[in-house]
Structure formats: structure tokens, C-alpha cells
Amino acid sequence: MFLNYIKEFFVKKSLKNNLHNVKNEVFTSNIQTVGLLIDESKFQHSRKLIEELVKQGITAENIKIAAYRGKLKKEKVYSRPTFGKKHINWKGKITETFLEEFIDTEFDLLISYYNVEKAVLMMITQKSKAKFKIGFSSVDQNLNRWMIDTDLENYKLFVVELFKYLKNIK
């Protein structure tokens, strides 16, 4: 337990050192690919969130998901790529291949769907090569280009607000 706190301290330190390197790209094109980073230890409606994105014109094949869980069960098989604290080492390096691929993919839009600052999730958001990043206003404002102020459980409002703003800037 104590080692987890030390590990989180080092990950947070690495994140803090790299926050000034966040690039702020300008949104200029239609959204084709979406990366969805979800904290499934807090949010249980991932499928419904994906359905809302599909209703807005994003094809399901172009949505790539990485789900975080605070506690992973060894025997359980998860329906989507799932990771936890153990997939990031003490230096903030990712040790899971699907997570590396997720970070290296240049999404048109990355949705960081978590509203509590967790060093692991923030590290993934910060390292992502997505062109445009959107998240919740309760998370560090240096990570995302846009922040939406809604409740985590109100995914329909989040998606409506997201696409309302995206249509306005086109």
C-alpha cells in the first residue's frame, strides 16, 4: 500500500515536469477518429457514451477506447482494453502495448472522460498525440484544450455540448 503512494508520487512528479510541454493545436477539420479515455472505476455507462457519439456521426469503428480501473481482477476478462496503475512504472513509462498504441495514435479528438485527477489518467492524456483534447473542467486545465463543466453521469449533456461547440468553430 505504501509503495503505491510512492509510485503515484513519482508519476505525479513526472507529469508535473511534462505539463509545460503540452501542445495546443487548433481544431481545423472534421472529426474522423476519436480516442476515449474512460475512468470505469467511477463511470459505468461506457456503452451508452459510445452510442451517443455514434448518434453524432462518428462511426463505431473510428472510436478507440482505453478504460481505467482502480482495481483489476486477475480472473476477469474485460470487454474493452482495460488498464490500471500497474501498467505504468515508477518513472511514468507505460508497460502495456495497447496503451502505447493508444497514446501514439493521432486521433482527431481525445475525450478524457474522468473528473477526478488521477495521475495515471492524466499521464495518458498528457502523452497522447491527439490533435485536440477535451475533458472535464474539474481536471487540470493544462491537459485539455477544452473543458466542459458537466456531471460525470450526465454523458448525454456532455456529448451535446461537445458537438455544439465543435459545430460553432467550423
Side-chain angles (χ1 to χ4, degrees):
M1 190 68 162
F2 178 70
L3 293 176
N4 285 335
Y5 290 117
I6 294 173
K7 180 178 177 180
E8 187 152 338
F9 170 77
F10 283 116
V11 172
K12 283 181 182 178
K13 184 177 178 184
S14 174
L15 176 66
K16 185 178 178 182
N17 290 338
N18 291 322
L19 269 179
H20 64 279
N21 294 334
V22 176
K23 61 180 179 179
N24 288 325
E25 290 195 24
V26 178
F27 181 75
T28 57
S29 63
N30 289 335
I31 298 170
Q32 300 297 319
T33 57
V34 174
L36 191 54
L37 180 61
I38 302 174
D39 182 0
E40 284 194 343
S41 55
K42 298 280 184 189
F43 181 70
Q44 307 302 320
H45 307 290
S46 301
R47 285 194 179 108
K48 292 179 182 178
L49 176 62
I50 294 166
E51 288 172 10
E52 289 298 318
L53 291 170
V54 170
K55 285 180 187 177
Q56 294 294 332
I58 307 295
T59 58
E61 297 81 36
N62 289 340
I63 300 173
K64 193 170 183 180
I65 303 162
Y68 170 81
R69 294 215 178 225
K71 294 183 180 181
L72 293 173
K73 298 177 183 170
K74 292 180 183 179
E75 294 83 33
K76 186 170 181 176
V77 177
Y78 296 100
S79 60
R80 60 187 45 87
T82 305
F83 68 97
K85 292 178 185 176
K86 70 178 185 177
H87 296 110
I88 294 183
N89 69 16
W90 292 67
K91 295 180 182 178
K93 302 279 187 214
I94 287 102
T95 59
E96 187 67 35
T97 54
F98 84 86
L99 208 48
E100 276 290 337
E101 291 171 4
F102 184 84
I103 289 170
D104 290 337
T105 304
E106 282 196 36
F107 298 111
D108 294 327
L109 177 67
L110 174 69
I111 300 173
S112 299
Y113 206 82
Y114 57 90
N115 65 353
V116 176
E117 290 187 358
K118 293 184 180 173
V120 175
L121 291 167
M122 292 170 65
M123 180 68 74
I124 303 297
T125 300
Q126 188 269 326
K127 287 186 174 196
S128 173
K129 292 184 172 63
K131 295 177 184 174
F132 204 75
K133 299 176 185 179
I134 294 178
F136 283 88
S137 61
S138 57
V139 179
D140 191 329
Q141 296 177 358
N142 293 322
L143 287 174
N144 298 308
R145 183 79 166 140
W146 272 356
M147 285 74 55
I148 297 176
D149 188 18
T150 62
D151 185 41
L152 188 68
E153 294 298 317
N154 201 349
Y155 58 90
K156 287 183 180 183
L157 179 62
F158 182 90
V159 173
V160 167
E161 291 294 315
L162 167 64
F163 281 92
K164 181 173 75 173
Y165 290 127
L166 290 176
K167 286 176 185 174
N168 284 338
I169 63 169
K170 284 186 183 178

